[in-house]
Amino acid sequence: MKILVTGATGFIGRSTVSTLVDEGHTVVAAVRRLDSRSALPPGIVSFVVGEIGPNTDWTDCLDGVEAVIHLAGRAHLLNDTSADPVLAFDNVNVHGTIQLARAAISAGVKRFVFVSSIGVNGNGQNYPYKGAGYSEVDEPAPHDTYAFSKLKAEKELQELSTNSRLEVVIVRPPLVYGPGAPGNLALLMKLVKRGVPLPIK
């Protein structure tokens, strides 16, 4: 199967691409730019799409593609310097996603996998933990701008799916960890390596 992976050079993207190649799929990678950090396994065709948003041109990336795995997006930022964070998140995570989905429909793509966030469900359980965890039937309860943008994209994708032949699959992963994990987990690992007790519940 020919699969387009966005965010192919990211933390999750690299593992996704490697797994797909190992399973014999043809992978097309959409990247923001080509540089030394965007090197991918041999045989993968990369398309530079620039910044993702409502005007991104996906046409060349989607030629012959049967499925899309959309990993790219604007993630949590510890120090967001954007003048309008809501607009910045929506431009990438909502409008950029829908632009890609519409292009996928036009190209005859069969399946669109959207990697959302567990943050759509909420901000964790009360301590000490007593609940049964989240379920797909739980009412969404996003708690920050990032999670709200992911929920908006989910809803628009579902609407597109009901009005087209595109099968939409939404995945809400919790924290993804492993060697080279970025963000808060990387920060926590640095603190643990210092050997200082952390007052964390």
Side-chain angles (χ1 to χ4, degrees):
M1 180 182 286
K2 189 174 183 181
I3 302 171
L4 170 66
V5 179
T6 71
T9 58
F11 174 62
I12 298 173
R14 287 184 181 280
S15 293
T16 302
V17 165
S18 294
T19 300
L20 292 172
V21 169
D22 289 348
E23 291 179 357
H25 296 287
T26 301
V27 177
V28 177
V31 297
R32 189 177 301 149
R33 62 186 164 275
L34 285 177
D35 57 28
S36 59
R37 292 175 295 170
S38 59
L40 289 164
I44 294 178
V45 177
S46 295
F47 288 94
V48 178
V49 295
E51 295 298 323
I52 294 175
N55 301 311
T56 306
D57 184 359
W58 298 98
T59 309
D60 292 339
C61 302
L62 291 166
D63 184 34
V65 165
E66 298 169 74
V68 171
I69 300 177
H70 186 39
L71 299 168
R74 188 173 200 261
H76 295 285
L77 300 171
L78 295 177
N79 296 307
D80 196 341
T81 58
S82 171
D84 187 343
V86 173
L87 180 62
F89 275 107
D90 282 358
N91 271 340
V92 178
N93 296 346
V94 183
H95 307 306
T97 297
I98 299 310
Q99 173 78 350
L100 173 56
R102 286 188 177 128
I105 291 168
S106 296
V109 173
K110 297 173 184 174
R111 177 177 283 191
F112 190 100
V113 180
F114 176 60
V115 178
S116 182
S117 168
I118 196 64
V120 168
N121 286 88
N123 193 18
Q125 308 261 337
N126 292 332
Y127 180 84
Y129 176 75
K130 295 177 183 174
Y134 292 128
S135 154
E136 69 277 4
V137 298
D138 289 341
E139 191 69 29
H143 59 281
D144 61 17
T145 307
Y146 168 73
F148 272 107
S149 71
K150 288 291 192 176
L151 178 59
K152 288 180 204 173
E154 287 185 16
K155 288 180 176 179
E156 291 199 34
L157 282 172
Q158 288 166 338
E159 187 176 331
L160 270 179
S161 178
T162 55
N163 298 315
S164 71
R165 294 183 178 183
L166 183 67
E167 178 190 9
V168 171
V169 178
I170 295 169
V171 181
R172 292 180 184 166
L175 175 70
V176 179
Y177 65 92
N184 290 335
L185 185 61
L187 179 61
L188 182 60
M189 294 302 290
K190 285 179 185 175
L191 292 172
V192 168
K193 284 180 180 177
R194 289 184 182 170
V196 179
L198 302 177
I200 297 174
K201 290 185 178 182

